[in-house]
Amino acid sequence: MTAKWSVTKIVGDHLRTLVDDRKTRKPIRVRDILAFYGLPLLVLVLIIIPEFNFSWLAGVPGYRQLAAFRVNGLEGILSGISIYTALLFGLLVQIFQIKSRYLDNGEYSSDAMDLNDALEANVSYAVLTGIIATAYLALVLATTVKDNPAGRIPSGIIAFLVVHLLVTLFMILKRARSVYSHL
């Protein structure tokens, strides 16, 4: 990818925050990777697996309900995700202002700056995820007959993106509290 629109640094910076202690350079926690990617992937698989009609699953409790799952109200979901993404972008500006205040005053600890940098990486990643989810939802909406639910595979992908964004937002909330406690 060209450097002007490459998102690899955003993803890399976010992944580097998935450690217990950045100062000791501990490796990324597998548990965090499972939470951020495994949980949404599990939701995706559970939603799309009936598409492949594995008859041996028919006796599993909840399989029929899962087989009937489709995302409805695509317009509302698209609106919600796009608004949330815009609000996250506003939060990104706020994080920049906090860092500027730290640097201008000269009154900051390395811990506070590290937390602020981690928060910036996580919010940037959430904005990226929101942009991808918004674009995908717009594509699904454009290719789905009005007032009809999305297909099973698009429903699974939408669920993956929404769950992934929610888990990321939970981490942002926790990090924001940590940053503000260091002000």
Side-chain angles (χ1 to χ4, degrees):
M1 283 189 180
T2 69
K4 294 197 185 336
W5 52 275
S6 174
V7 296
T8 55
K9 184 163 175 26
I10 293 172
V11 174
D13 288 348
H14 170 71
L15 290 174
R16 279 187 285 283
T17 69
L18 303 180
V19 295
D20 279 330
D21 185 5
R22 284 182 300 287
K23 288 184 175 36
T24 59
R25 302 280 187 228
K26 289 185 179 178
I28 294 172
R29 292 177 49 179
V30 173
R31 193 172 71 193
D32 288 340
I33 294 294
L34 289 175
F36 279 96
Y37 300 100
L39 178 63
L41 189 61
L42 177 65
V43 171
L44 168 76
V45 168
L46 289 174
I47 291 170
I48 69 168
I49 205 164
E51 183 73 21
F52 302 105
N53 202 14
F54 294 119
S55 58
W56 55 274
L57 286 173
V60 174
Y63 179 77
R64 277 193 208 135
Q65 293 82 359
L66 194 59
F69 179 81
R70 303 288 188 284
V71 173
N72 284 309
L74 292 169
E75 296 89 349
I77 297 169
L78 174 60
S79 297
I81 296 286
S82 60
I83 290 168
Y84 228 134
T85 301
L87 291 171
L88 285 168
F89 195 79
L91 177 59
L92 198 55
V93 171
Q94 176 71 20
I95 293 167
F96 174 75
Q97 290 174 339
I98 290 171
K99 186 171 186 175
S100 293
R101 191 173 352 150
Y102 280 154
L103 295 174
D104 288 345
N105 295 340
E107 299 173 12
Y108 60 87
S109 67
S110 63
D111 286 344
M113 196 59 78
D114 286 348
L115 281 171
N116 196 73
D117 290 344
L119 180 60
E120 183 270 330
N122 299 143
V123 173
S124 295
Y125 182 80
V127 168
L128 174 65
T129 304
I131 291 169
I132 291 168
T134 299
Y136 184 73
L137 279 160
L139 177 68
V140 171
L141 190 58
T143 58
T144 303
V145 177
K146 185 163 176 58
D147 297 327
N148 282 348
R152 186 179 325 226
I153 292 175
S155 291
I157 295 169
I158 291 166
F160 172 90
L161 290 167
V162 169
V163 170
H164 184 60
L165 187 56
L166 283 173
V167 173
T168 305
L169 290 173
F170 290 147
M171 185 168 82
I172 288 169
L173 181 62
K174 182 181 174 196
R175 287 254 161 87
R177 286 183 47 83
S178 295
V179 167
Y180 284 113
S181 71
H182 281 81
L183 289 179

